[in-house]
Each structure stands twice: as structure tokens, then as C-alpha cells.
Amino acid sequence: MRGLLHYSALMPPRYCEVALPVPLRSTFTYVLPQSLAGKLDGQPLVGRRVVVPFRRRAMIGVVLAESTKPPDITRAVSAGGGAAAAPAIREIAEVMDPVAALPPKLIELGEWISRYYVAPVGETFRAMLPPEIEVRHDREYSLTESGRARLDELAQKLTLADAERAEAELLRRIDAQHPPDPESESRARRKRVDEAAAEALVRHGYLAARNVLRHRQARTQKILAWNPAAPAVELDTRAEKVREALTSASGPLPLHVLIAKAGVSRAVVERLERAGVLSSWDEPLTPGEDPWDTDFTPPTNVLNAEQSAALADIWRWLVAGKFAAGLLHGVTGSGKTEVYLGAIEATLSRGKTAIVLVPEIALTLWVGRLVRARFGEHVAVLHSGLQDTERAREWWRVRHGEARIVVGTRSAIFAPLENLGLIIVDEEQEASYKQEETPRYNGRDTAVYRARLEGAVALLGSATPSLETYHNALAGKYQLLQLTSRVENRPLAAVRIVDLREEFRRQHRATPVSESLRAAIALRLEEKTQAMVLINRRGYSWSLMCRGCGALVQCENCSIALTYHKSRQRLECHYCGYSIRPPKQCPKCNSEYMYYVGDGAERVEEYLREQFPVARIARLDRDTVRTKRQYQQVLGAFAKGEIDILVGTQMVAKGHDFQRVTLVGVVAADLALGRPDFRAAERTFQLLTQVAGRAGRGELSGEVLVETYYPEHYAIQYAAQQDYVSFYEKEAQFRRLLHYPPFTALASVLVRDRKVENAIRWSRALAAYFAPFEERGVKILGPAAAPLARLRRDYRFQFVLKSPHRAILGKALAGALDFCAAKQFPETAVIVDVDPISLS
Ligand code: ADP
Ligand code: ZN
Ligand code: ZN
């Protein structure tokens, strides 16, 4: 193959703009060395991952652009580590992917995200790339007709040039390997062919190539969990460390991680396991057959008139083959999923691919199973709960075109599908679509943008659309499809408001669950139907208070009260993971009169067990379920009727379709209303409507009990009436009046530092920078102490920026970051959040 090398030596230099995972808003230029250029033989690098030297280390980045022109020198300087002399442009060390990891449309999408959300370009692309693991994705070659003819031709020749001899040998080797024998594959690694040489023959038409993924053999690992029902035993210090590791922030851990985290030997863990203090199970490192899927038969439903009408519209958009966005506004239980499935089918039948976004990992299980039952092997599931190997495998399956439908959470919007025809965003209003770290994108809005880029259809579905989306639908930006009644004309569940003030007057005591709700649950147990109880707070008590001075026991790092977890005997911070043993005396005044206030999910569960000792009760929240397996266990058991009462946080509120639930109780329904946030009413309305939607979905009718101290609040009233439009109108009035989205663009800028003086100094400097934008139509509030004035030891100040002109707002924000860089504020000191989901 010397001929090829010789040819490439004549090629002009190739400069690449590489996005690197560093918090800087620029790309860096590298040059492709001749040694690699020869192997690539002129193929484009855009979209491929490369290994490059950055400052003093090697980093993986992705190539965004290529050029033969020498680059802008200033960028090369910073990549080189700030050398003063004119720097040499550094060289790419390695090209990782044989094909571009990111197709061109995704590169465009990433660039948009980086601009729109004012996010560092490299960190944006890191969020879009597959996990870096030991999965090999190879090209598999076979001879074509003309390849065979070429081989014959070469064989006839008497004398062969070096290049020809190499070519003949390569063709012969590939011919001998084909068809590849999966048996021999696992026994002995096949000799790899020279990929660059083979690619050259592909371009000549002598070889056909196929992308295949080779992963490591399926292995399992042992997962350990602290057993909450453990026999009471004395724990020594090493056991205490294990408990600490398993119960603090993380929950169940793989054995090797646990050993490292707790700093104990394997023998200690094994001893605790034998004593029943730890429970354990095996999880595959790579996915195997999932029993969740195999014994499932999907319902076969004939679409009703409203569903058919909605689907007919979607069909028309798909046939038009252009960008369209629609809102499917359907009351809970109206059968939106069936419309989604029809839309996917239509998309596939037109030779296109589809993405389905759901707001929760738990929902990928339900929706994934339905979609897989309908469309078989063409489905990939992507979410952050997968292990890296599993996620990488699914990701590459999608990239190689083996999967044509992707079901996943937020980041699945970056699924590398080509020829995309449809993106569905289920429960589009959910806050979980917004990423709360850089890049702070909203998966829903990104979905609409991606659909626009790809000429695809974006279908947003909800029973309680966000104000933004409904506003867009009314304004004609999105087309509105409506499902106004439940399937088979089942009635919506009747909602009853329990006035807690009234209850207290009658009972003269406050119980974790109101007397009305307790009685309603008792009735269900008698009837042998199921009940769900929603309590949107984890833990046993919200906080520990001192009767001497009124102080709450606070986190050392955050301005937030610690939550009491009884099973772990800890006070914990839900923001930073800090935890302590509950103090016997007030840390402030030494008073001994400490008491617990506010009941959380753990306490509610305990109370129900006391009240209904024979009932089968389970709890679903982040403390009880951590893994996919655990979700499946709890939800599966509930669906099968093996659980009578399911207590949970908002995890239980969304999407699930349980047929025998006839009662839903909402404890402390007004929790969110107390928060200083412009979305408090919207959140409350959505949560109550969603959870009410879980009742009475089967043949049995349902009832919902909503406990509140503010029964007359419009969010609660309209939720009880399940009247979305009236809620929208009322809430829209407020938003318009107070200049909040959807009537103005909003951004928050947070300045933070360990030292309060720094945070103040930088805030003042930024205030001076922002001031001139007032005249250009940007309203600037702040700097003021952020609602969470201290978080993870940082002091935090906040600006809120509002403007009817998004472009100017964008300028102000991008300029602010340039300003901070010029003033040499630390890279992590300023956080810009465009379209924040909350200001608290
Ligand atoms: P939504 O997401 O709108 O709340 P789902 O899509 O979960 O509602 O559907 C609710 C239930 O109605 C599911 O059990 C589904 O199988 C069933 N269903 C959907 N369409 C029909 C139909 N046309 N006829 C009968 N049942 C249906
Ligand atoms: Zn005190
Ligand atoms: Zn904290």
C-alpha cells in the first residue's frame, strides 16, 4: 500500500477545529499529521472523535470543521498552554472512529445549543457523544463481484508491483474470512485487516463494508445494598463505613466500588452479607434478555374517532415531508400513547426513523416495552441509568442504523439517527427535560429545533401542556390536536379536596395522612382495589427544629434544612449529600428540646403500616429504588396486584397505566405553592392533574383526594375540576402582567464563590457590564442573594434578566461571559441559564 502513502504526501495540510470538553467557549485547531493523513486517504474528519494533546494531557474531542487554510493563531496559543512565542499548531494524536460518530445534522444541532444556551461548545458536544468505553466498532468487509474479478485478474498476472501484491493478499484474506463465523470469533480474535487499505478498496468498489459492533463478553457484577429490614446487630467501625457508603448519597453499589468507597476489604463485605445486613444480586455488565419484555402482550386497541382524527393530521404532516410541530393535548387516559404508536408506524412506513422522549427513566421501561412489542428489534433505549457499556452499545446500534426507533430520556434527543422523520416528546411540560448542568438545554425545545433542522415532525404530548407550549399552539406556531375524553368514555376521576384546616378543627391533631384519606384507603382495602399515595417529599421528616430558639438544623454547606431519614438514622442534605447523626441538642443554643417537623414519604409509609398492618404496602422514591431492576420489581408487582398501597414521590405521578387503581391520595398537595417561584402554580396544577390521571383508568371508576391548607387557590381548584384551559387563562394573565414566560424571554445569571467577598465583587462588576442593556430593552433584576443563598459551600448571587427581544438578551449573555473571561473570573464562577425552569 505504499502507493497510497505516496499519494497522500502530496495532499495539502488538514487543519481541524476540535471541540474539547473544557469550559471554554471556543474550539481548538489541530493539524492532521502526514502519518494519519495517509491512512485516512482524503476521507472527511468532521464528526469523528480524535485524541489530541491539550495543555499537558491527552484529551478526546470531536472535529467540527476542517480546512486547508492555516488557522487563527490566538486559538492555537491557548491550546498550546499560553506560550508566548508563535506556537506550532499541535498535531492530532489519534483518530478514534472509523466513521463519524456525529452525523452533520447533529453537529449543527450542537452548535445551535452552544449559541442559544450560551454554553461552552466542547461541553455541549461531550453531552452528545457516546460514552467512551471498551467497545470496538469495526468495519466488516466482504468481496464484491468486481472485487472477485480483480482478485482473479491479479492472480493471472505474472509479476506484481508491491502495491498490487498487498492488494491481492488483502482481498484473499477477506475472502477467506467470509462469511464470518461467530463461533470462531469468540474463541480467537480474528486477525484484523489494515482498515485504511481496505477502505481504499471499498472506494474502488472491490469490497463492501458494513459497520459492526464487537463488545466484550457478557459478564455480571455483584451489586450490594444495605438491607433496611436487617436484623439489629452491633456494627463495628468497618461495618459502619460500609453502611455509610451504601446509605449516604449513592444507594446500592457494585462490589468493587463499595470496597473502594468504604475502604474495607472484601471479607468485611462478605461477612456482612452472611449476617443478612447486606443484600446482593447480580447485574449483567452487558444487557441480556430482559424478562420484563418477554412475557408481555401489548393491548390491541382500535382507535376511536378522536385518536383517528389526530393521527390523520400527523399522517398529513409526515407525507408533506417538511418540518411541522404539533401539540397533542389529551386529557389523562385519552390514549395518547396509541396515537404515538400510530405516528411511529407511519414514520417507519415512509422509510424514516423516530425518537420518543419520555421524562423519566421509569417511563422508558413502559414505553420501551410497548414500542418493542409493536416494532420488535428496531428499538433502542437510551437513558442515563444505563451502564456505560450498555449505553454505548445501544448508541452505536443506532449510529449503525440497526435501530430505527429510539426511546429515551432527555439526552436521547441526541440519538444519532439519520433520516429522522418524527420526534415525540411525551409529557412535554416536565421539568426533567431541562438539564440542570452545562449545557443547560431543554430537551423539548431542542426536539423542536432538531425537527426543524431535519425537516421532521415534532409532536409534543401532554394533558397539562406548559404555558409556553400552549401559548405557541394558540399563536399557531404549533398545530393543536385534541383528545377531549378518556378512551371508551370512561369518566375522569372525581376529585375531592380535603381542607386540612377543617380536618384539624375536627380532629385536634395532625396525622401524616388525613382522616378522610385514611378512611378512603380502608375502603379500597375492603374492596380489594388499589390505592396510590403521593407525597412529594423524601425522607421521614422535612427537618429537625429547636423549640428553644426556633432554628432548623441546617446543612453545613448549603442554606437549607436537613431532612431526617429514619431508616438510616441520619439528617441529610438533598442538595449536596452532607449528612450527620441527628443531634441531641440544638447546635445553636444547646437546648434539648428538639422536634421533627413535616412528614415525608418514609413517615407516611410507616403510618400506613401502623394503620393497616395486613395491607401490602410499598414505597417508590429515590431512597427505595435506585436501579432499573428495582423499578421493574416495584412497578411490576403493583401492576400485577401484588401491592395494595403504593406510596411515592412524584415518580409515581407520571404516565403509568395501572388498571386497578381506584384511589389516589395527595398528601401535602400545596407543597410547591410555598416556593418563591414563578412556576409554583403551574407545577402544582400539573402535578395534581397528572396524579389524578392515575385513578380510574381501567373499568373501575376512580377517586382522588387532595389534601391542602389552601383549598381556594386557583391551581388547586382548576386541578380538581381538571379544567386546563381555565387554568391556562388565569395563569397567563399573571405571567403577562409580571413579565414572565411565555410573554418574555427569561435568563438567570448566577455568580458564586467560596468567599463571599469574591462573589460580591464579581456581581458588582457584572452589574456594571449589564447596566447599558437596560436601554436596549433588557430588564435586569439583581444582583440579589439567590433563593438558595448558599449551596455546596458557595455563596450565590443572582441576576434575573428579562426581555421581549431574545436576540438582544442573547447578546447581553454571551457578552457577559466574554467580559468575565477578560476580567479573569474563574471559569466556574458564573452560570448562565437561558429559559430557566425555575428561579429558586
Ligand atoms: P394517556 O397517555 O393519554 O393518559 P394512555 O395512552 O396511557 O393514555 O391510554 C390509556 C389506556 O387506554 C391504555 O390502557 C390503553 O391501552 C387504552 N386505550 C388506548 N386507546 C384505546 C382505544 N381506542 N380503545 C380502548 N382502549 C384504549
Ligand atoms: Zn436552639
Ligand atoms: Zn448541603
Side-chain angles (χ1 to χ4, degrees):
M1 295 288 100
R2 212 174 286 150
L4 287 175
L5 280 176
H6 179 68
Y7 166 71
S8 46
L10 301 175
M11 294 199 315
R14 296 170 65 176
Y15 299 104
C16 295
E17 290 302 311
V18 178
L20 291 173
V22 291
L24 299 171
R25 288 190 313 129
S26 61
T27 52
F28 298 90
T29 309
Y30 291 86
V31 67
L32 189 69
Q34 290 297 335
S35 54
L36 294 179
K39 284 200 194 148
L40 279 168
D41 194 27
Q43 288 182 76
L45 275 168
V46 172
R48 298 207 216 189
R49 290 175 302 166
V50 289
V51 180
V52 295
F54 183 78
R55 296 192 178 144
R56 276 193 204 86
R57 46 181 286 224
M59 255 192 198
I60 294 176
V62 59
V63 178
L64 299 188
E66 246 195 274
S67 153
T68 50
K69 282 204 299 265
D72 178 345
I73 288 299
T74 50
R75 284 176 177 169
V77 173
S78 41
I89 293 168
R90 305 181 82 180
E91 290 186 343
I92 291 173
E94 193 186 319
V95 177
M96 285 180 68
D97 303 314
V99 289
L102 297 183
K105 287 288 194 309
L106 280 183
I107 292 187
E108 243 181 288
L109 186 69
E111 283 169 343
W112 173 77
I113 288 178
S114 168
R115 265 196 321 276
Y116 184 94
Y117 293 103
V118 209
V121 65
E123 292 188 324
T124 302
F125 278 97
R126 176 170 52 185
M128 303 175 76
L129 288 166
E132 291 148 16
I133 49 122
E134 301 283 320
V135 171
R136 273 171 39 219
H137 30 92
D138 298 353
R139 300 268 274 173
E140 193 175 273
Y141 301 99
S142 57
L143 256 61
T144 61
E145 288 296 324
S146 55
R148 194 162 305 282
R150 171 72 174 163
L151 186 56
D152 290 344
E153 181 195 322
L154 291 172
Q156 311 275 312
K157 270 192 158 182
L158 288 177
T159 54
L160 290 177
D162 281 358
E164 285 175 329
R165 193 170 306 121
E167 187 182 333
E169 198 178 303
L170 183 61
L171 287 172
R172 211 169 291 127
R173 259 235 330 268
I174 288 168
D175 193 32
Q177 281 179 355
H178 208 76
D181 176 2
E183 285 285 299
S184 69
E185 175 113 354
S186 57
R187 260 185 277 119
R189 264 257 195 84
R190 277 193 298 153
K191 229 173 138 190
R192 295 192 63 182
V193 301
D194 177 346
E195 216 158 63
E199 289 298 323
L201 297 182
V202 170
R203 280 188 298 281
H204 278 99
Y206 296 153
L207 291 179
R210 195 166 80 87
N211 294 314
V212 289
L213 195 76
R214 308 205 190 286
H215 35 89
R216 296 158 152 192
Q217 300 207 346
R219 282 188 295 148
T220 60
Q221 61 178 348
K222 188 175 202 167
I223 309 287
L224 291 140
W226 191 257
N227 184 1
V233 289
E234 265 312 308
L235 297 180
D236 60 18
T237 53
R238 277 174 304 179
E240 188 62 29
K241 281 189 195 143
V242 171
R243 195 188 61 78
E244 191 80 47
L246 285 174
T247 59
S248 64
S250 56
L253 292 172
L255 178 62
H256 68 277
V257 180
L258 175 62
I259 288 173
K261 241 186 126 166
V264 297
S265 71
R266 195 188 175 102
V268 172
V269 175
E270 280 164 359
R271 177 167 55 79
L272 291 172
E273 206 190 338
R274 276 194 307 275
V277 180
L278 297 180
S279 52
S280 77
W281 62 90
D282 282 331
E283 269 182 11
L285 281 169
T286 50
E289 178 111 309
D290 195 334
W292 175 254
D293 276 3
T294 46
D295 56 356
F296 171 71
T297 11
T300 46
N301 296 313
V302 181
L303 296 191
N304 62 30
E306 280 190 327
Q307 288 170 317
S308 309
L311 189 54
D313 279 340
I314 298 167
W315 255 105
R316 272 197 288 105
W317 309 337
L318 285 168
V319 170
K322 290 188 308 205
F323 166 67
L327 166 60
L328 179 62
H329 180 207
V331 298
T332 55
S334 58
K336 292 185 284 295
T337 316
E338 208 64 47
V339 177
Y340 299 154
L341 293 173
I344 295 170
E345 192 162 19
T347 306
L348 295 184
S349 78
R350 304 197 61 78
K352 301 220 168 164
T353 61
I355 297 177
V356 185
L357 294 187
V358 293
E360 285 251 345
I361 294 174
L363 288 174
T364 63
L365 299 174
W366 292 96
V367 178
R369 182 166 76 165
L370 266 177
V371 174
R372 202 173 281 128
R374 187 92 158 239
F375 304 105
E377 284 310 294
H378 296 303
V379 184
V381 174
L382 287 173
H383 58 75
S384 56
L386 298 176
Q387 287 165 351
D388 275 359
T389 43
E390 203 176 354
R391 198 157 60 86
R393 181 181 163 279
E394 288 290 89
W395 198 96
W396 284 104
R397 230 159 59 77
V398 175
R399 181 67 187 107
H400 295 327
E402 286 166 45
R404 303 182 56 211
I405 309 167
V406 171
V407 176
T409 48
R410 183 178 62 222
S411 63
I413 193 52
F414 303 131
L417 286 164
E418 286 183 283
N419 206 8
L420 190 62
L422 174 71
I423 308 176
I424 291 168
V425 185
D426 190 25
E427 310 280 5
E428 64 81 27
Q429 79 287 351
E430 284 295 336
S432 57
Y433 283 124
K434 173 82 174 178
Q435 173 145 305
E436 295 293 0
E437 59 190 65
T438 315
R440 295 170 181 264
Y441 67 97
N442 186 313
R444 174 206 52 216
D445 298 333
T446 305
V448 175
Y449 193 84
R450 183 166 180 192
R452 190 187 299 275
L453 273 181
E454 312 235 15
V457 171
L459 182 63
L460 315 181
S462 178
T464 54
S466 62
L467 260 79
E468 285 87 341
T469 295
Y470 203 71
H471 177 75
N472 281 335
L474 293 183
K477 261 176 88 176
Y478 300 164
Q479 312 191 50
L480 183 59
L481 306 173
Q482 308 214 55
L483 305 178
T484 56
S485 53
R486 281 191 164 180
V487 294
E488 302 184 318
N489 291 319
R490 283 171 200 151
L492 283 170
V495 179
R496 183 146 61 94
I497 295 177
V498 179
D499 183 346
L500 289 177
R501 299 168 304 188
E502 196 50 37
E503 279 258 342
F504 191 78
R505 245 169 262 144
R506 265 188 282 122
Q507 309 281 332
H508 293 290
R509 64 194 179 107
T511 44
V513 160
S514 68
E515 181 45 34
S516 311
L517 181 52
R518 200 199 60 79
I521 294 172
L523 193 65
R524 272 28 182 227
L525 291 173
E526 235 161 77
E527 282 177 4
K528 303 215 180 309
T529 60
Q530 291 175 303
M532 280 169 94
V533 177
L534 175 92
I535 160 80
N536 212 6
R537 278 269 188 154
R538 289 195 291 132
Y540 192 85
S541 304
W542 305 352
S543 46
L544 180 56
M545 194 181 200
C546 166
R547 286 192 201 273
C549 70
L552 299 173
V553 179
Q554 289 222 336
C555 175
E556 213 177 71
N557 311 320
C558 313
S559 47
I560 203 85
L562 295 173
T563 304
Y564 176 52
H565 289 258
K566 188 179 181 187
S567 66
R568 310 200 269 265
Q569 278 299 318
R570 303 296 279 188
L571 289 174
E572 295 181 6
C573 174
H574 287 178
Y575 287 84
C576 73
Y578 172 83
S579 86
I580 52 171
R581 266 172 207 282
K584 297 254 170 348
Q585 294 178 329
C586 173
K588 290 240 167 75
C589 75
N590 289 331
S591 151
E592 285 173 13
Y593 300 99
M594 305 293 287
Y595 73 111
Y596 291 96
V597 278
D599 299 321
E602 199 182 348
R603 171 72 183 116
V604 167
E605 182 198 3
E606 183 188 80
Y607 180 76
L608 292 174
R609 286 188 193 281
E610 287 159 16
Q611 296 293 314
F612 307 112
V614 293
R616 296 162 303 172
I617 301 175
R619 174 157 58 95
L620 191 71
D621 60 25
R622 271 196 288 138
D623 296 319
T624 56
V625 294
R626 298 273 186 182
T627 64
K628 170 174 151 184
R629 191 62 42 91
Q630 290 171 318
Y631 274 125
Q632 290 177 345
Q633 268 166 7
V634 178
L635 293 176
F638 193 57
K640 278 196 226 131
E642 293 164 9
I643 293 168
D644 303 312
I645 309 172
L646 182 63
V647 180
T649 54
Q650 60 184 351
M651 236 182 222
V652 302
K654 291 172 201 165
H656 311 293
D657 188 29
F658 300 114
Q659 302 277 317
R660 291 189 59 79
V661 173
T662 58
L663 173 71
V664 173
V666 187
V667 176
D670 39 31
L671 260 179
L673 288 177
R675 292 180 56 179
D677 192 73
F678 73 100
R679 273 188 228 272
E682 184 183 4
R683 287 274 181 75
T684 303
F685 176 83
Q686 286 164 347
L687 182 63
L688 293 184
T689 312
Q690 291 293 335
V691 75
R694 297 313 114 213
R697 295 171 72 88
E699 324 233 289
L700 309 162
S701 61
E703 185 187 27
V704 181
L705 257 62
V706 174
E707 296 182 350
T708 175
Y709 283 103
Y710 311 102
E712 42 313 275
H713 194 286
Y714 66 95
I716 294 191
Q717 283 292 333
Y718 287 132
Q721 292 156 28
Q722 306 195 44
D723 181 353
Y724 176 79
V725 175
S726 298
F727 172 78
Y728 172 84
E729 283 167 359
K730 178 107 182 172
E731 181 67 10
Q733 271 178 16
F734 285 122
R735 299 277 182 95
R736 199 186 307 258
L737 210 67
L738 300 174
H739 300 285
Y740 276 116
F743 302 101
T744 187
L746 184 71
S748 86
V749 177
L750 198 85
V751 182
R752 58 175 182 182
D753 196 73
R754 289 282 144 93
K755 294 211 177 92
V756 69
E757 314 85 74
N758 287 344
I760 291 175
R761 189 149 40 90
W762 297 330
S763 302
R764 288 212 179 114
L766 260 183
Y769 161 83
F770 280 133
F773 284 95
E774 286 268 12
E775 280 169 20
R776 301 172 63 188
V778 182
K779 193 163 173 49
I780 296 143
L781 308 169
L788 251 172
R790 209 159 158 257
L791 181 67
R792 298 191 187 95
R793 299 196 170 183
D794 284 334
Y795 290 90
R796 295 151 38 103
F797 292 86
Q798 188 184 40
F799 293 88
V800 174
L801 278 69
K802 298 175 178 180
S803 179
H805 316 292
R806 197 172 265 289
I808 297 178
L809 182 64
K811 268 205 192 101
L813 296 170
L817 289 185
D818 293 339
F819 173 84
C820 296
K823 293 272 177 196
Q824 303 200 319
F825 297 174
E827 277 143 12
T828 51
V830 177
I831 300 175
V832 172
D833 193 353
V834 177
D835 302 340
I837 205 79
S838 111
L839 290 177
S840 63

